[in-house]
Amino acid sequence: MWGGRFAQGPSAIMAEINASIGFDRKMWRQDIRGSLAHAAMLAHVGIIGPEDEAAIRAGLEKIGQEIEAGKFAFDTSLEDIHLNIEARLTERIGEAGKRLHTGRSRNDQVATDFRLWVRDAMDGLAGQIEDCMRAFLGVAAEHTGTLMPGFTHLQPAQPTTLGHHMLAYVEMLSRDYSRMKDARIRLNECPLGAAALCGTSFPIDRHATAAALGFDAPTRNSLDSVASRDFAIEFLATCAICATHLSRFAEELTIWTNPSFGFVKLGDGMTTGSSIMPQKRNPDAAELVRGKTGRINGALVGLLTVMKGLALTYAKDMQEDKEGVFDTAEALTLCLAATAAMLRDLKPNLARMAAAAGAGFSTATDLADWLVRELKMPFRDAHHATGRIVAKAEAMGVELAGLTLTEMQEIEPGILPSVFGVLSPASSAASRTSYGGTAPTNVAMMVKFWQEKLA
């Protein structure tokens, strides 16, 4: 490729470290799409003749068929997917193939291909996020009133419902979906025609190639066009946040499926066994979702680190931008699919969750609120009195509802028999009617909201 300047080829180690065809071949579809649009534009403005454009188009289509069929011989000595396709095109159609690279550089070519690849990945992942939201929503719709404990610090806090818990993840994923769509908007500008870094003297039509490739517009600065990978960084950040949400749910599944909790069960299809312990049912799918999140977070930090010290414009360091992105898209695709599958396989243990919902004095806040409402106590005084009542119940080995009225009145004489109406987990959950609260009526309303929004 640069034989006019160099008397001999690269050494073996230089060829090995320089080549990216081992991974950037994933962009072959995008490279062909970009080249087809570029050739059509070159013909339209008269830089190449219509017969050359026709030969290029036919040649690229044949090459696409070869790659699709697994018959394309990728050559490491040609470094990357761009040169591999261009060399094969010239081999097939001769001189016309050599005209294709007029008015562009590998710098703007790879920036365009990479944007196209990330955009395609964004579209696919957005669809999967929606599917995962529907899976969470399906559990929520079935369990709007199913009691379970709500935790802070992984300690019993207040009773909630399984439906409300599932809807929390619908909300998280809805923001992930929004971030993916929002990042796509910023990505959707076309670098093609920025050439090496300063544009080109050929009378190209960058708006035409941008439109042909589905971009909103061409990029406005040729230096920025080839120097920046913030679209990939933003994609990785969006994926990392989404994976973190999935990982939090995966952690909960590993806890909930433990027999000590026994809140839910996963079937044989979504668990594994042990080579030595016959009784084991391991939530490996959940654990792997949790584990793959580390890889995704690492890819984000990796690309940030690659880019942080690069003066404008292009440097070969930027060849390291792709593998983490490819790996992240693949990992998040699998994590979303596994999470949706586990949700659709989930079998909650209603009795176990209901029993746990009342454990650990989880209705203590309801007692404090009752003292405020009925006895007009300042909340801080009610909080103190309730704490003393909890301590008494704990010393006696009973829950709050297990104390007698007399025993409560020994601490707060004004307590009335009606207090027992707020001490059950069901009444506690039902009372939380503030907007966004855990009351089953609220949950049912939010389920309907999301069903309509996702319809």
Side-chain angles (χ1 to χ4, degrees), residues 199-221:
T200 178
S201 59
F202 289 98
I204 62 172
D205 185 347
R206 293 190 63 210
H207 289 84
T209 48
L213 293 170
F215 288 104
D216 295 328
T219 51
R220 288 174 295 278
N221 183 283

Side-chain angles (χ1 to χ4, degrees), residues 30-255:
Q30 291 77 23
D31 194 71
I32 289 175
R33 281 164 59 191
S35 290
L36 286 169
H38 185 66
M41 180 276 296
L42 292 177
H44 175 69
V45 299
I47 294 174
I48 64 173
E51 65 285 351
D52 283 343
E53 191 271 333
I56 289 169
R57 182 173 64 251
L60 288 172
E61 288 171 355
K62 288 292 186 182
I63 290 170
Q65 293 168 10
E66 286 180 3
I67 298 175
E68 191 79 66
K71 297 178 179 178
F72 188 93
F74 293 101
D75 186 350
T76 305
S77 69
L78 292 172
E79 293 187 19
D80 55 34
I81 187 61
H82 323 295
L83 291 183
N84 267 262
I85 288 177
E86 185 180 332
R88 177 62 177 143
L89 179 67
T90 301
E91 183 182 307
R92 290 188 68 97
I93 67 172
E95 288 294 311
K98 297 179 182 179
R99 303 186 196 283
L100 174 60
H101 209 53
T102 308
R104 74 176 184 184
S105 161
R106 277 194 302 172
N107 292 355
D108 62 331
Q109 187 179 0
V110 67
T112 303
D113 292 357
F114 198 22
R115 283 188 188 234
L116 288 171
W117 195 97
V118 172
R119 191 178 70 183
D120 290 344
M122 284 176 164
D123 291 343
L125 287 167
Q128 275 198 284
I129 291 170
E130 268 195 305
D131 181 65
C132 205
M133 289 172 67
R134 289 191 176 91
F136 276 109
L137 186 59
V139 179
E142 190 176 347
H143 295 283
T144 56
T146 298
L147 289 173
M148 68 171 288
F151 298 100
T152 61
H153 308 277
L154 201 56
Q155 303 297 315
Q158 294 177 342
T160 185
T161 70
L162 181 58
H164 196 53
H165 198 102
M166 294 295 103
L167 285 177
Y169 285 101
V170 174
E171 296 287 344
M172 293 180 212
L173 288 172
S174 74
R175 296 191 295 274
D176 295 327
Y177 179 87
S178 176
R179 271 185 284 270
M180 196 70 75
K181 290 294 188 180
D182 194 46
R184 189 191 193 281
I185 293 171
R186 274 182 293 282
L187 170 147
N188 209 37
E189 295 178 345
C190 184
L192 192 59
L197 72 161
C198 288
T200 178
S201 59
F202 289 98
I204 62 172
D205 185 347
R206 293 190 63 210
H207 289 84
T209 48
L213 293 170
F215 288 104
D216 295 328
T219 51
R220 288 174 295 278
N221 183 283
S222 62
L223 302 179
D224 174 59
S225 300
V226 300
S228 298
R229 292 295 185 271
D230 53 344
F231 67 90
I233 293 170
E234 189 170 12
F235 171 69
L236 290 173
T238 299
C239 290
I241 295 170
C242 181
T244 298
H245 290 152
L246 300 180
S247 183
R248 295 184 73 177
F249 179 63
E251 170 67 6
E252 291 187 323
L253 280 183
T254 62
I255 294 170

Side-chain angles (χ1 to χ4, degrees), residues 430-442:
S431 73
R432 308 289 168 178
T433 55
S434 59
Y435 186 80
T438 198
T441 52
N442 282 14

